[in-house]
Amino acid sequence: MFGAKITAIGSYVPARRLTNADLERMVETNDEWIVQRTGIQERRISRQDEFTSDLCVAAVQDLMARYGKSVQDVDMVIVATSTPDFTFPTVASLIQHRLGIPMTAGTMDLSAACSGFVYGLHTAHSFVSSGLHRKVLVIGADTISKITDYTDRSTCILFGDGAGAVLVEKTEESSGFLGFNLGSDGSGAHHVYRTSLSRSINDIELIDTQMLVQNGREVFRWAVRTVPQGVQQLLSKSGVDMEQIDWFIPHSANLRIIEPICERMNYSMEKVLYSLVNFGNTSAATIPLALDLGIREGKVLNGQKVLLYGFGAGLTHAGLLVQLDLDEQLTEPTAL
């Protein structure tokens, strides 16, 4: 087995801001109500002609500019998304061509909703540590605004668009991946969905809107119960205590979900990183955005242990414990 580590990171969010004040003019809501129930102040919205592949390309370009990295030797591209430009071809194939990545590189999209980025990292680690690949590009990206019903105040206040990208590379040194935990509960699949060809899940008839539908209360209950259990299982398998974790980065679904999760784990919110305040719930992009924000702000440093935990539609959850060993940044990152 070989070692694998995350060597570089980049991120991108669209220019357009959708503030709580903007939403007040669209649906029956107000800033105080939104902040109190979610912690979100604004979110970024892609243009009508701006798609998930565009966000991915921009995130990778940010990565390359900051770390002086080339993607010409990437041998696998993994894109975690629930909002691909097309059912097929894959987003990964589109960006392989646009970024000039050699045609010898494998490409695939991975669908695990808000857990997708962590699943993508886990897959990349498996590929690299097994010796099958040497350099894997992993991107978590979504344009959830394109499947959001802006007449439904319970969901439209939550979601935004964004992308985060990392490189996972082979190393002769010790691995930067220290532990994982994966799981799913398909009995709750009908709590978060978007209809396609099928119109029922678990014998429950679904609303055919082609838009995202979510039972927030049930997702809240499941996440607050499941994530602390999953974290404990991950730590037990890794031989690490929660006190040794420098930063916890859960999926930025809603601050009111993150708070009780941390309370159950007796973990300080001061050591939690999230991206929802200014970007909302960006699905597969929330965790890489939060990680990159921590790096940009000088909080997250090499050698620190960072616990990533995604959860969402499926119902899926996925956790990874990583120790950062990023290459030195060559240029200052531009503001998001």
Side-chain angles (χ1 to χ4, degrees):
M1 299 293 285
F2 299 91
K5 65 177 182 178
I6 299 171
T7 61
I9 187 169
S11 56
Y12 174 79
V13 290
R16 180 192 166 196
R17 287 175 164 83
L18 181 67
T19 67
N20 291 346
D22 295 327
L23 285 168
E24 289 180 12
R25 295 187 286 271
M26 298 167 62
V27 292
E28 185 180 350
T29 191
N30 59 70
D31 175 71
E32 181 181 6
W33 190 91
I34 296 172
V35 172
Q36 184 179 41
R37 286 163 176 78
T38 71
I40 299 170
Q41 297 179 7
E42 62 181 41
R43 54 297 293 138
R44 299 296 184 89
I45 305 298
S46 54
R47 303 186 311 271
Q48 187 174 0
D49 62 347
E50 188 177 34
F51 299 94
T52 298
S53 65
D54 299 310
L55 274 57
C56 290
V57 168
V60 177
Q61 289 172 334
D62 177 58
L63 178 156
M64 292 190 293
R66 288 161 59 187
Y67 292 88
K69 288 287 188 176
S70 169
V71 294
Q72 290 303 303
D73 54 347
V74 162
D75 52 13
M76 174 62 73
V77 181
I78 302 172
V79 176
T81 186
S82 299
T83 52
D85 300 26
F86 310 97
T87 303
F88 49 83
T90 64
V91 174
S93 291
L94 297 175
I95 68 171
Q96 171 266 322
H97 170 66
R98 290 179 58 184
L99 290 169
I101 296 172
M103 290 187 289
T104 52
T107 60
M108 68 177 184
D109 285 2
L110 188 154
S111 179
C114 302
S115 304
F117 179 74
V118 180
Y119 269 93
L121 268 183
H122 180 65
T123 303
H125 171 230
S126 301
F127 285 159
V128 174
S129 63
S130 68
L132 293 174
H133 294 273
R134 296 182 60 88
K135 187 174 182 179
V136 181
L137 179 61
V138 182
I139 308 170
D142 272 301
T143 49
I144 297 293
S145 69
K146 297 187 186 302
I147 61 168
T148 296
D149 180 359
Y150 283 96
T151 67
D152 177 8
R153 74 167 187 164
S154 66
T155 58
C156 73
I157 64 172
L158 298 171
F159 296 103
D161 304 333
V166 300
L167 281 175
V168 177
E169 299 190 58
K170 178 181 174 181
T171 174
E172 303 298 333
E173 303 168 0
S174 58
S175 179
F177 291 79
L178 308 180
F180 73 93
N181 186 66
L182 309 177
S184 67
D185 179 8
S187 69
H190 55 285
H191 293 316
V192 190
Y193 67 86
R194 181 192 179 203
T195 54
S196 54
L197 298 178
S198 178
R199 296 292 179 263
S200 67
I201 301 178
N202 301 327
D203 296 325
I204 296 172
E205 290 298 317
L206 306 179
I207 302 170
D208 181 15
T209 67
Q210 295 297 313
M211 295 294 177
L212 183 152
V213 179
Q214 175 174 272
N215 184 333
R217 181 171 296 181
E218 290 300 323
V219 173
F220 171 89
R221 290 174 178 171
W222 170 80
V224 170
R225 179 180 69 251
T226 302
V227 174
Q229 293 174 351
V231 167
Q232 187 55 54
Q233 290 168 357
L234 187 158
L235 296 176
S236 296
K237 290 188 291 185
S238 307
V240 176
D241 296 326
M242 200 65 191
E243 292 76 19
Q244 297 174 272
I245 303 300
D246 295 291
W247 298 102
F248 176 44
I249 307 182
H251 165 50
S252 286
N254 185 324
L255 194 57
R256 306 311 166 220
I257 295 179
I258 295 174
E259 289 170 335
I261 286 174
C262 290
E263 185 176 346
R264 290 196 177 197
M265 298 191 306
N266 194 29
Y267 192 76
S268 172
M269 284 293 295
E270 293 181 358
K271 298 172 68 179
V272 180
L273 300 177
Y274 44 87
S275 55
L276 59 85
V277 175
N278 293 318
F279 305 134
N281 180 345
T282 54
S283 191
T286 70
I287 289 176
L289 281 175
L291 175 60
D292 198 21
L293 286 172
I295 292 168
R296 288 165 178 263
E297 294 169 4
K299 296 178 179 178
V300 180
L301 306 173
N302 276 348
Q304 292 184 330
K305 291 182 176 65
V306 182
L307 177 57
L308 316 175
Y309 217 101
F311 56 89
L315 297 167
T316 64
H317 61 101
L320 272 179
L321 178 59
V322 298
Q323 189 163 21
L324 289 185
D325 190 12
L326 295 165
D327 291 352
E328 182 180 355
Q329 291 192 71
L330 301 182
T331 62
E332 289 294 321
T334 58
L336 289 176

